[in-house]
Amino acid sequence: MTSTGCTSTTPGRATAAAVSSSGSTASSGVPRVVNPKNLKDVADPCQLITSQQLQELGASDPRPGKTESGVPKCNWKNDNLAMTLTTYGSQGLDSVYAQRNRFGNSQETTVSGYPGLRIASFSMSCGVYVGVADAQVFLADVTVFRAVRPEYKDRCVFAEKVAGMVLSNLPAAN
């Protein structure tokens, strides 16, 4: 059986691709990560987007922090947009899929060859969870206040662009 998903040849650019479900998904239906990356050694998610990439995205002023449950995150905010990058070094995409009904309007995707799940919570924002290893996932979440750039118009495509940049900066798993 083959299903259509999104994949990318350019970091963050999603295009349609055929994904075989035989051998590429776990028994739970969660897509497997073929080329694992390592999030466990990343203490500060702000370091996962370079200053050049931030300039390209129109973001600035990284602010490291933690979620209420102590998970590392980084926020960028200006008059036009807000971005949050949250890294989960001890849970995988399966834990996101287990909560999928909570998101309501989730959609499977692939970013730069890595399985993901889009969650569009509001018309102004979109987030994408990306699995980088069996027990490692990150969330790239964007909110656009003013669509001053054409790429800001489709929030989910923009969130996938951010995720693609993060993937390009993550080290491979050992």
Side-chain angles (χ1 to χ4, degrees):
M1 179 170 142
T2 301
S3 63
T4 300
C6 295
T7 189
S8 175
T9 54
T10 305
R13 284 290 151 115
T15 55
V19 179
S20 170
S21 61
S22 60
S24 64
T25 58
S27 60
S28 63
V30 178
R32 292 185 184 188
V33 175
V34 179
N35 296 309
K37 299 267 189 173
N38 185 4
L39 272 176
K40 289 186 179 187
D41 295 337
V42 178
D44 179 6
C46 295
Q47 302 302 312
L48 292 175
I49 300 179
T50 68
S51 57
Q52 181 181 354
Q53 289 170 328
L54 286 174
Q55 185 176 10
E56 181 181 332
L57 295 169
S60 58
D61 299 325
R63 299 191 195 293
K66 293 195 182 280
T67 65
E68 290 178 10
S69 57
V71 175
K73 71 175 184 173
C74 187
N75 297 310
W76 295 268
K77 186 176 181 181
N78 61 34
D79 292 340
N80 301 321
L81 71 114
M83 296 185 333
T84 303
L85 178 61
T86 310
T87 55
Y88 301 90
S90 61
Q91 67 182 24
L93 200 55
D94 58 339
S95 63
V96 176
Y97 269 64
Q99 300 176 46
R100 191 172 180 180
N101 63 343
R102 189 180 77 141
F103 303 126
N105 56 353
S106 64
Q107 178 185 8
E108 294 179 24
T109 189
T110 304
V111 179
S112 300
Y114 289 82
L117 189 67
R118 282 182 175 188
I119 54 163
S121 52
F122 301 102
S123 63
M124 292 175 45
S125 67
C126 186
V128 62
Y129 283 94
V130 179
V132 297
D134 287 339
Q136 297 177 41
V137 67
F138 70 85
L139 169 64
D141 194 18
V142 299
T143 301
V144 176
F145 306 120
R146 295 185 310 164
V148 296
R149 294 178 174 204
E151 64 187 334
Y152 290 176
K153 297 210 185 303
D154 186 330
R155 277 80 166 149
C156 289
V157 170
F158 188 67
E160 288 183 358
K161 179 177 182 173
V162 173
M165 289 178 171
V166 170
L167 285 165
S168 72
N169 297 327
L170 269 176
N174 294 335

